[in-house]
């Protein structure tokens, strides 16, 4: 057997810790969206050195969650209506394509997992925990890809849904929206149980359309207020 050398697995670096903490802050709608924050100020607030912070921020810029402008700093990335349309269109395409593969693989265990996620969402809705509610929304849709066994699609979905969380973090706070999402997820589950392709397709499309429209409405209201 040919000899080879590999490095041992390391614990999380400071850069990784900063990255995950900031990502949670951004997706929880607690990072500056209108004004820029400098690297120096951010490092002081987080009590970390600037080098690992800069590396973590670059990863977040690459994921298009934040934007950077020289001599100004960082802020949450904003999206145009055209970009939002494309994000949801891509989600519609890839989620529609996994319907038949889900039917081929779905079993009682898969349905149980989906129902368990929706139950957790109902508990989070009662607590008005919109951030963790949206993380469970992501987990619901990820589970659909796992049932379909479409792992390449899942990787693409993870990117799109991070952006969906970012642009929808305020829309989900609108009164009644979390309860609507629960109903929409239950409609998807009901279609899967019946193996009714049209029912599942309509439920997915309705769910994505409502999410997109809610974001558009919130954005328009903010612009009108401004």
């Amino acid at each position: 057997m040919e000899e080879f050398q590999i490095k041992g697995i390391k614990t999380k670096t400071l850069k990784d810790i900063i990255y995950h903490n900031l990502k949670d802050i951004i997706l929880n709608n607690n990072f500056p969206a209108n004004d820029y924050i400098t690297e120096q100020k951010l490092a002081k607030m987080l009590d970390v050195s600037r080098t690992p912070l800069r590396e973590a921020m670059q990863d977040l810029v690459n994921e298009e969650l934040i934007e950077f402008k020289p001599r100004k700093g960082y802020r949450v990335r904003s999206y145009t209506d055209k970009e939002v349309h494309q994000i949801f269109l891509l989600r519609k395409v890839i989620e529609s394509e996994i319907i038949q593969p889900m039917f081929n693989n779905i079993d009682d265990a898969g349905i149980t997992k989906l129902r368990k996620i929706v139950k957790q969402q109902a508990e989070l809705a009662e607590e008005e925990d919109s951030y963790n509610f949206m993380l469970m929304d992501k987990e619901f849709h990820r589970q659909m890809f796992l049932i379909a066994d479409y792992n390449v699609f899942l990787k693409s979905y993870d990117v799109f849904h991070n952006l969906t969380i970012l642009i929808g973090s305020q829309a989900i706070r609108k009164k009644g929206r979390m309860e609507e999402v629960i109903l929409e997820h239950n409609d998807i589950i009901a279609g899967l149980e019946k193996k009714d392709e049209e029912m599942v397709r309509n439920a997915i499309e309705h769910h994505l359309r409502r999410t997109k429209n809610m974001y558009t409405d919130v954005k328009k209201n903010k612009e009108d207020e401004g």
Side-chain angles (χ1 to χ4, degrees):
M1 181 177 178
E2 183 181 353
E3 292 186 2
F4 63 96
Q5 292 182 342
I6 58 175
K7 295 182 179 179
I9 297 174
K10 297 181 179 179
T11 57
K12 278 188 177 180
T13 64
L14 179 56
K15 173 249 183 180
D16 293 331
I17 295 171
I18 295 170
Y19 164 82
H20 288 292
N21 286 345
L22 281 172
K23 189 169 185 177
D24 281 347
I25 290 170
I26 292 165
L27 296 180
N28 202 17
N29 202 37
N30 287 324
F31 195 86
N34 299 318
D35 300 320
Y36 288 93
I37 184 169
T38 65
E39 182 183 285
Q40 182 178 6
K41 184 176 181 180
L42 192 55
K44 187 175 182 180
M45 290 174 66
L46 296 172
D47 193 23
V48 297
S49 59
R50 293 173 66 174
T51 298
L53 172 63
R54 188 180 304 120
E55 293 172 350
M57 296 302 280
Q58 186 57 52
D59 284 351
L60 294 167
V61 169
N62 291 340
E63 291 181 26
E64 298 191 338
L65 293 177
I66 59 174
E67 58 187 23
F68 171 74
K69 185 168 286 189
R71 293 183 294 280
K72 283 194 172 183
Y74 302 92
R75 71 175 182 182
V76 171
R77 168 104 152 67
S78 60
Y79 287 87
T80 65
D81 289 343
K82 185 176 182 180
E83 288 172 323
V84 170
H85 171 72
Q86 292 177 70
I87 289 168
F88 280 96
L89 178 59
L90 284 167
R91 278 196 60 187
K92 175 183 172 182
V93 169
I94 63 174
E95 292 190 41
S96 295
E97 286 298 320
I98 64 170
I99 295 174
Q100 193 56 53
M102 278 198 293
F103 286 158
N104 295 337
N105 298 331
I106 194 70
D107 55 16
D108 290 343
I111 293 292
T112 299
K113 286 180 181 178
L114 291 172
R115 289 204 179 280
K116 184 177 179 181
I117 293 169
V118 173
K119 183 180 178 181
Q120 289 176 281
Q121 285 189 293
E123 293 169 356
L124 291 167
E126 288 184 6
E127 297 168 6
E128 298 184 350
D129 186 345
S130 59
Y131 174 60
N132 283 304
F133 183 93
M134 292 188 74
L135 293 183
M136 292 310 299
D137 181 83
K138 177 177 180 178
E139 191 56 37
F140 181 90
H141 290 267
R142 289 189 93 257
Q143 190 59 45
M144 289 165 55
F145 286 93
L146 291 170
I147 291 170
D149 195 24
Y150 265 44
N151 295 323
V152 175
F153 275 35
L154 176 57
K155 291 178 182 178
S156 297
Y157 166 77
D158 280 338
V159 174
F160 297 140
H161 203 282
N162 279 338
L163 300 181
T164 306
I165 291 176
L166 177 63
I167 64 179
S169 60
Q170 295 179 26
I172 200 67
R173 291 185 172 92
K174 193 167 183 178
K175 187 172 179 59
R177 179 54 190 155
M178 285 189 277
E179 289 74 15
E180 285 184 359
V181 169
I182 291 168
L183 292 175
E184 290 159 13
H185 282 175
N186 279 327
D187 287 342
I188 293 172
I189 294 173
L192 288 171
E193 286 181 312
K194 296 177 182 178
K195 293 199 172 182
D196 185 327
E197 181 173 348
E198 184 177 0
M199 183 176 180
V200 175
R201 189 178 304 279
N202 288 341
I204 289 173
E205 290 182 1
H206 174 70
H207 176 54
L208 295 176
R209 184 167 57 250
R210 282 292 295 154
T211 303
K212 176 188 171 186
N213 289 344
M214 291 290 285
Y215 167 74
T216 303
D217 290 345
V218 169
K219 182 183 177 185
K220 186 177 184 301
N221 289 338
K222 276 195 165 187
E223 289 173 349
D224 290 344
E225 290 172 1

